[in-house]
Amino acid sequence: MKITNLPIPLIDRVRAQNPVVLTVANSVTAGKVADALSASGVSPIMSQAPEEATAMVNLADAITINLGTIDQAQLTLIRAIMDANAGQRPVVLDPVAVGSSAYRLTIAKQLLADYYFTVIRGNASEIAALAGFAASGHGIDAGNDQDDPVMVAKRCAHAYHTCVLLTGATDVVTDGQEVFTNPTGTRMLTVNVGSGDMLSSLTAAYLASGDNPLASSALVATAFSLAGAVAAQHAAGLGSWQAHFFDELSQLTSDRFAAQLNYGKDDNND
């Protein structure tokens, strides 16, 4: 898939449709996720009560499951939500730190065995762990466990019959066959706690349109990283970068994205 094939009008459609994204959140980053969704024209909802799982799912257009602060109570909530959804709405799995925790990895693999996830969004270490590689990532860090992230992402996609969005210095999006790579980004996205969590829930918002998951994921990954790179041009440090980054998300339109994107930069995508 080439960068020129990205479904750029989807950016405006997301704002017009104002999809509701239900996020089972990482408690460390829930506020950032809600702000990123709101800035992008998306309505965030979050829940901690299994008793309201059906009601919350009925309100939602898409769902994100984040394992960042997973415990047994949250796992009960996740299963209640996935059971209530019954495959009707797109779901993104964010397998936070499964490369460094056997407990998290076991939970993630069991969820993947029991339910279908439209997209798995993780860093290199997390995707490698799910794909069966020995990973050594520390916490939320991407690590450098594999020399070929495309191969890792494709193996993970094949294993779970889904689309994988592997984020890093170069993002990789694949359904196991077709591959899209995105080298646009900034170091600020890697040092900002919650960048991946925000992207996971934004991916769910773009999937709510019903478009092809590969193309939708490739678009949101590119738009997100480009917003971070543009924000970095005006920032003195992490604090001011965050303000500029949310400004970029709030101003993101199809025309603005197209104007900022250097189409000749990634012609090697296939």
Side-chain angles (χ1 to χ4, degrees):
M1 177 182 178
K2 294 181 180 295
I3 203 164
T4 49
N5 294 333
L6 291 176
I8 295 175
L10 179 56
I11 294 172
D12 289 341
R13 274 200 286 132
V14 167
R15 287 198 182 276
Q17 294 171 354
N18 186 225
V20 176
V21 173
L22 170 60
T23 298
V24 177
N26 176 344
S27 61
V28 176
T29 63
K32 287 185 177 181
V33 170
D35 285 342
L37 290 174
S38 181
S40 303
V42 180
S43 293
I45 56 172
M46 298 181 184
S47 175
Q48 294 180 312
E51 295 81 2
E52 65 177 9
T54 298
M56 292 294 101
V57 168
N58 287 340
L59 286 173
D61 297 298
I63 299 167
T64 304
I65 303 298
N66 186 298
L67 302 184
T69 48
I70 189 71
D71 57 18
Q72 285 302 309
Q74 193 178 68
L75 182 57
T76 299
L77 170 63
I78 290 169
R79 288 192 172 277
I81 286 173
M82 295 299 291
D83 288 340
N85 185 49
Q88 297 179 63
R89 297 156 189 81
V91 187
V92 175
L93 176 65
D94 189 333
V96 180
V98 295
S100 58
S101 166
Y103 172 71
R104 292 173 189 239
L105 182 58
T106 297
I107 288 174
K109 286 188 172 182
Q110 191 60 62
L111 288 172
L112 285 161
D114 293 344
Y115 304 104
Y116 175 72
F117 291 87
T118 317
V119 172
I120 303 171
R121 202 296 310 164
N123 64 38
S125 178
E126 293 157 355
I127 299 303
L130 289 179
F133 295 97
S136 58
H138 301 286
I140 63 169
D141 295 343
N144 295 294
D145 298 290
Q146 305 300 326
D147 292 331
D148 187 354
V150 172
M151 180 267 293
V152 172
K154 289 180 72 172
R155 182 179 293 189
C156 186
H158 279 297
Y160 302 107
H161 308 287
T162 190
C163 183
V164 169
L165 168 50
L166 182 157
T167 49
T170 295
D171 299 333
V172 177
V173 187
T174 182
D175 57 5
Q177 300 295 326
E178 197 169 4
V179 176
F180 172 84
T181 57
N182 166 46
T184 304
T186 172
R187 176 179 170 275
M188 289 296 184
L189 283 168
T190 65
V191 300
N192 174 65
V193 175
S195 292
D197 298 349
M198 289 187 280
L199 178 55
S200 293
S201 287
L202 281 170
T203 300
Y206 277 59
L207 294 175
S209 68
D211 287 18
N212 176 271
L214 178 72
S216 298
S217 300
L219 174 64
V220 70
T222 307
F224 186 83
S225 61
L226 183 59
V230 172
Q233 296 174 5
H234 308 289
L238 182 59
S240 59
W241 175 84
Q242 291 185 79
H244 287 296
F245 178 62
F246 282 114
D247 284 347
E248 287 298 321
L249 290 182
S250 68
Q251 298 175 74
L252 182 63
T253 64
S254 298
D255 286 345
R256 183 179 176 89
F257 174 77
Q260 291 176 338
L261 189 61
N262 180 353
Y263 282 95
K265 185 175 182 179
D266 296 302
D267 283 344
N268 291 328
N269 280 296
D270 56 27

